[in-house]
Amino acid sequence: MKNRREDERLLGVTGTRRLLMGLLLALGVMLTQPVMATGPAPVSLGSCSKFAILGATAVSTDGGAGIINGDVGLSPGEGSSITVLTAANVNGTIYTTSAGGPAGEVVDAALLSTAQDDLTTAYLDAQGRTDGQVTMPGDIGGQTLTNGLYWSGSTLEITGDLILDALGDPNAVWIFQVSSALTTAAGPGVSRVILANGARASNVFWQVDTATLGSYSVFKGTIMAQISITMGVGSSMEGRALARTGAVTFNNTGSPVGTNGLPKSTQSITNLMPTNGASFAQTNLVGLS
C-alpha cells in the first residue's frame, strides 16, 4: 500500500513537471515569433485606384519624356490639357472628359468624375486619421519606420534612405499626413524609399498638399495631393500620382544630357494595378507593379 502511494506521488510530480516544461516550451516559441504591431487600416481608393496618374487641371511632360505603366486620367480639365503626352508614353489608357486630347484617348466624363469623388473621399479619410498618430521631424531620411500613422504639421523632406519595414507582415500599412509640401532630395542615390520584409507599395499612402520628387529619386506609395505633383528628371515612382485640384507634371527641370555624370532619362510611374509586364529601363515610371 505504501509503495502504491509512493508511485502515485511520483507520477503526480512527473506529470506536473511535464506540464510546466510544456508551458515553458510554448512560451519560448511565442517569444521567438515576430511581433506584428497593430497599425492603421488601408485607405480605400475606390475607382481612382485604377489610375497611375489622375490630374485635375493638366497632365504634362517635357519633350515627350516619361513612361507611365497604368491608366491616365484628367478631370475636370479638358483633354487638350494633356500636353506632349502620347500613347507611346502610356502602358494603359488615357481618359479625358472631352475630345481634343492625345490620339487614342477615351472620353468618359462619368468615370473620371467618380474617380475624383473617390479621391476626395480617400484624401479626407487619410487626413482625418488620429489613432496612434506619431509626429515626424522635418526630414525623415535615414530612418526605419514600421507600420503606423505619421504626421507632419509643416513640410516633410526625404534625404537619404527611408526604410519601411513590414516585420514580415504583408498587410502592414503606412499613412503619412503632410500638412504642407512633401519633397524628396535630388541626385542619383540621394533619396530613396525602400520597402523591407514584405512591405508593399500598395499599402503606403501619402496625404499631402503638394509633392515634388527630386531628380533621380526613388519613391514608393500612393500620393494623394490637394494641389499638384511634380516629378524631376530620372525620378521613379511605384505607386500612384493623384492630384485633386492641380496638375501632375513630369521632367519639368529640363536637365541636359550629362547632368550628374548620367545621361538624361525620363520619369516613370508604375501603377500598383496589373500591367502587361513590359519593362522600361532608364525611364521615370509612375504606377504600381
Side-chain angles (χ1 to χ4, degrees), residues 27 49 74-75 93 104 112 152 197 287:
L27 179 61
S49 65
L74 177 64
S75 175
T93 302
L112 289 167
S152 170
N197 295 319

Side-chain angles (χ1 to χ4, degrees), residues 170-240:
N171 297 314
V173 172
W174 291 259
I175 299 176
F176 295 89
Q177 302 166 316
V178 185
S179 300
S180 185
L182 168 68
T183 304
T184 65
V190 174
S191 176
R192 299 185 302 173
V193 177
I194 298 173
L195 305 178
N197 295 319
R200 297 177 177 179
S202 56
N203 286 337
V204 181
F205 303 90
W206 304 81
Q207 174 260 314
V208 307
D209 191 44
T210 62
T212 301
L213 305 186
S215 299
Y216 301 103
S217 61
V218 178
F219 194 81
K220 309 288 185 181
T222 294
I223 297 178
M224 300 172 290
Q226 169 64 24
I227 304 176
S228 62
I229 302 168
T230 301
M231 295 180 66
V233 171
S235 59
S236 65
M237 177 180 181
E238 182 186 0
R240 304 177 181 91

Side-chain angles (χ1 to χ4, degrees), residues 15-140:
T16 300
R17 286 177 177 172
R18 288 178 176 173
L19 178 60
L20 289 173
M21 290 177 65
L23 290 173
L24 289 172
L25 178 61
L27 179 61
V29 170
M30 291 173 63
L31 291 176
T32 57
Q33 297 303 307
V35 177
M36 302 304 179
T38 302
V43 176
S44 176
L45 297 173
S47 62
C48 67
S49 65
K50 81 186 293 325
F51 292 96
I53 293 177
L54 181 61
T57 60
V59 175
S60 62
T61 185
D62 177 16
I67 294 295
I68 301 155
N69 288 327
D71 293 339
V72 175
L74 177 64
S75 175
E78 300 294 325
S80 57
S81 296
I82 297 183
T83 59
V84 185
L85 193 67
T86 68
N89 301 108
V90 182
N91 183 28
T93 302
I94 300 174
Y95 291 92
T96 61
T97 57
S98 62
E105 67 178 331
V106 173
V107 178
D108 195 331
L111 180 149
L112 289 167
S113 177
T114 300
Q116 277 290 2
D117 287 345
D118 287 347
L119 173 57
T120 296
T121 299
Y123 180 94
L124 294 176
D125 173 24
Q127 184 184 53
R129 305 282 186 101
T130 57
D131 290 347
Q133 192 178 67
V134 177
T135 301
M136 289 280 93
D139 195 323
I140 57 175

